Amino acid sequence: MSIRVRYAPSPTGLQHIGGVRTALFNYFFARANKGKFILRVEDTDRARYSKEALDDLFETMHWLGISWDEGPGVGGDYGPYFQSQRLHVYREHAEKLIQRGEAYYCFCPPERLKRLREEQQKKKESIGYDRFCRDLPQEEVSRKIKEQIPHVIRLKVPLEGETLFYDKLLGEIKKKNRDLPSDPVLLKSDGYPTYHLANVVDDHLMGISHILRAQEWLPSVPIHIHIYRAFGWEPPFFCHVPMVMGKDGQKLSKRHGSTSIREFREQGYLPEALINYISLVGWSYDDSREFFSKEELERLFTLDRLNKAPGVFDYKKLDWFNGQYIRMKDDEELKALVLPYLLKDGLLSNPPTERELKIVDGMIPLVKERLKKLSEISGMVKFLFVEIDQYSKEDIIPKKMNAETTIRVLKEGRKLIEEFPKHTDEENEELIRRKAEEMGMKVGSFMMPIRVAITGSTVSPPLLGSIRLLGTEKAVKRISGVIEVLKKAV
RNA sequence: GUCUCCUUCGUCUAGUGGUUAGGACACCGGGUUUUCAUCCCGGCAACAGGGGUUCGACUCCCCUAGGAGAUGCCA
């Protein structure tokens, strides 16, 4: 049997972790089984529709490198792949269900439904449609339609019996029909289908073999089963993957932190890190391996390695993965990745000058193993491009050192730095070591005031390399500046 | 409230009747180092509880508890 799966997002918000993981699982499942991966846009909610969300969908998929075999842009034999372009299909199918006695017209206005719900709430009854229009006389229905009274089409859900279906991950799931949402809407009054109708009709017409999606959809499966049955269709295989949660165990949402792929991208996460990490929430390969390229996942992904339990999204582990992937980049690649951030933060001219690019070349090896996210770059190397606007006195004078000795250290350091160009880095380091020893200090303590003078911070990339990139002249000037400040303070 | 699903270290997970319950992140120590980071070494830490089944249960069954999701003319 040929495998056809789909990712069917609704363009109502930015692509987020949960959705993309579903997309990834579908994509990997298709690739690993030589099947087809289809992208279908479920744009049937015209109130929440957003063009930005649609653009974001394509951008995100492109950035992650997930391509689809059928769908927007690439076409396919089962199009169109935007549900908004298939309205006639849904209407025809909805009407067919009415003819078969499996669905009915409902003329209840939204106000009535609202009132109904409020009453049910007050009386603590279970909430749901009271099937008011389910058995309207045929003449009344025809009359109301002729009068063009707004209406929807509802599914006639059996009142008795139970619905059973099989989930590849969860096994057999049973539900009493009386516990089902009562007679859900299939076709809205604006002529658009609801998710229930559209998804069933399209999955069938598009030959979808497996529905792979998050467990939040589980409760609506019995409804779908009834729709398939009403049409006389065979349902596809279901596989409901566990959801992605926030630290508090609730469904991951904005209040947990960044959730949209766009945000992660802007913060400087690498697509390979994101893909690798997301894939491991709810899925594993074995007891130890955890580094996977997208290409490897396209080969190795299997449904039977899915976990049933929901997984908490761990931002820290993502950071760790990202750091690992940054370190795997060669200098040229990392340079290209980091340049946009330097530009955006105004550290470079646009376009960058020859001199600036040389500094960037030189600093890449200095920052590579310090970066967790690309966006951290500017804070790390700012001192190479702009003057330091303010020194904190506590930083300049190390603990257990007074202003006088600090000035002495800075003067000795300045002397050595003036001679830097004459020696190699190794020789310079040796000279510094000797000088520190001579003054009875540890190398680290000796270098600290100099580090602060040069970089403006006690935390910085390696000093000698930094000084080389900054240039002796500027370095000496900064040290002299700090010495003056200290003298005044004494 | 009702229905459905879920339950191994703080987190992601391995484990499919017999293991000192393994790995990774985080955390805590230690080492390397020029600060930070990287890197290396070590440590902490789990089978939700109760009943069965069995010679033997993390593994199978039942119950309880806890968590989550769904209960829309949103998907």
Side-chain angles (χ1 to χ4, degrees), chain A residues 122-338:
Chain A
K122 212 162 63 190
K123 286 194 259 175
K124 293 208 178 282
E125 285 171 2
S126 58
I127 295 165
Y129 180 55
D130 60 0
R131 307 186 183 87
F132 184 80
C133 298
R134 186 183 235 217
D135 298 303
L136 249 34
Q138 182 55 49
E139 311 82 67
E140 189 177 344
V141 171
S142 313
R143 199 194 72 229
K144 285 188 161 163
I145 295 231
K146 202 174 286 173
E147 287 171 15
Q148 298 201 327
I149 294 181
H151 59 269
V152 301
I153 294 179
R154 287 182 184 271
L155 181 70
K156 208 179 265 187
V157 178
L159 272 11
E160 289 171 353
E162 58 183 21
T163 305
L164 189 134
F165 67 98
Y166 183 81
D167 185 278
K168 277 223 177 265
L169 218 212
L170 274 10
E172 201 176 271
I173 295 175
K174 225 187 286 186
K175 198 157 176 170
K176 293 191 177 62
N177 289 334
R178 67 170 134 87
D179 292 328
L180 256 29
S182 81
D183 297 0
V185 172
L186 298 177
L187 202 70
K188 306 185 237 182
S189 57
D190 62 4
Y192 281 68
T194 60
Y195 170 75
H196 300 301
L197 209 223
N199 131 74
V200 168
V201 168
D202 284 348
D203 283 343
H204 179 261
L205 261 27
M206 293 181 182
I208 299 301
S209 64
H210 294 69
I211 296 182
L212 205 56
R213 39 121 104 124
Q215 280 174 13
E216 55 187 320
W217 299 109
L218 214 45
S220 55
V221 177
I223 294 290
H224 302 166
I225 297 288
H226 283 294
I227 302 178
Y228 281 108
R229 182 193 46 74
F231 280 119
W233 294 339
E234 194 64 31
F237 290 107
F238 295 101
C239 182
H240 288 85
V241 304
M243 310 213 310
V244 183
M245 312 303 235
K247 201 140 199 82
D248 57 0
Q250 313 257 57
K251 196 164 148 181
L252 187 68
S253 74
K254 288 202 178 58
R255 69 200 157 75
H256 297 290
S258 309
T259 51
S260 69
I261 301 303
R262 180 132 106 197
E263 287 168 279
F264 284 102
R265 181 182 178 177
E266 282 165 358
Q267 286 167 41
Y269 287 91
L270 269 24
E272 46 271 59
L274 221 36
I275 289 175
N276 195 152
Y277 176 64
I278 293 176
S279 301
L280 293 178
V281 179
W283 183 84
S284 64
Y285 179 68
D286 63 12
D287 62 343
S288 53
R289 182 170 174 193
E290 59 181 355
F291 275 92
F292 300 93
S293 68
K294 180 163 75 68
E295 292 68 28
E296 287 169 324
L297 290 167
E298 287 175 23
R299 279 198 340 262
L300 301 174
F301 183 84
T302 52
L303 258 30
D304 52 22
R305 298 296 309 182
L306 281 167
N307 201 325
K308 287 182 184 181
V312 174
F313 188 81
D314 187 348
Y315 288 85
K316 283 195 171 161
K317 187 144 189 182
L318 205 217
D319 282 353
W320 177 78
F321 264 112
N322 207 51
Q324 296 291 316
Y325 277 99
I326 285 178
R327 264 158 253 142
M328 286 180 214
K329 295 285 177 195
D330 65 41
D331 292 358
E332 272 307 304
E333 290 172 321
L334 188 53
K335 178 187 175 187
L337 287 167
V338 123

Side-chain angles (χ1 to χ4, degrees), chain A residues 5-57:
Chain A
V5 292
R6 43 65 166 186
Y7 177 50
S10 156
T12 52
L14 300 182
Q15 286 300 301
H16 59 103
I17 295 295
V20 162
R21 192 192 57 152
T22 301
L24 245 16
F25 284 173
N26 275 283
Y27 171 77
F28 293 146
F29 181 61
R31 289 285 170 274
N33 293 286
K34 312 246 178 295
K36 297 277 187 245
F37 175 62
I38 292 132
L39 182 65
R40 184 173 75 218
V41 179
E42 307 218 325
D43 51 351
T44 54
D45 182 345
R46 71 203 202 304
R48 294 197 305 153
Y49 176 85
S50 139
K51 174 71 166 51
E52 189 197 1
L54 185 64
D55 293 342
D56 178 72
L57 166 66

Side-chain angles (χ1 to χ4, degrees), chain A residues 39-41 54 58 68-76 80-82 85:
Chain A
L39 182 65
R40 184 173 75 218
V41 179
L54 185 64
F58 298 135
W68 47 98
D69 304 299
E70 292 172 29
V74 304
Y81 295 90
F82 285 89
Q85 294 169 20

Side-chain angles (χ1 to χ4, degrees), chain A residues 357-369:
Chain A
L357 286 175
K358 244 185 116 183
I359 296 178
V360 174
D361 283 333
M363 79 195 198
I364 295 293
L366 268 32
V367 297
K368 190 187 277 182
E369 57 204 24

Side-chain angles (χ1 to χ4, degrees), chain A residues 77-119:
Chain A
D77 296 339
Y78 302 85
Y81 295 90
F82 285 89
Q83 291 187 328
S84 59
Q85 294 169 20
R86 305 166 61 82
L87 297 186
H88 62 284
V89 177
Y90 309 121
R91 170 153 298 269
E92 280 163 24
H93 280 84
E95 277 164 3
K96 192 169 189 179
L97 287 189
I98 288 189
Q99 284 161 25
R100 293 180 169 218
E102 301 278 5
Y104 61 91
Y105 292 105
C106 167
F107 303 91
C108 295
E111 305 82 62
R112 175 173 184 275
L113 266 18
K114 199 180 158 215
R115 223 169 44 233
L116 180 68
R117 187 169 319 166
E118 281 163 356
E119 272 169 42

Side-chain angles (χ1 to χ4, degrees), chain A residues 383-398:
Chain A
F383 72 94
L384 290 174
F385 302 99
V386 299
E387 287 311 311
I388 291 144
D389 39 277
Q390 210 177 3
Y391 287 101
S392 116
K393 207 169 139 195
E394 298 80 67
D395 283 351
I396 298 177
I397 305 174

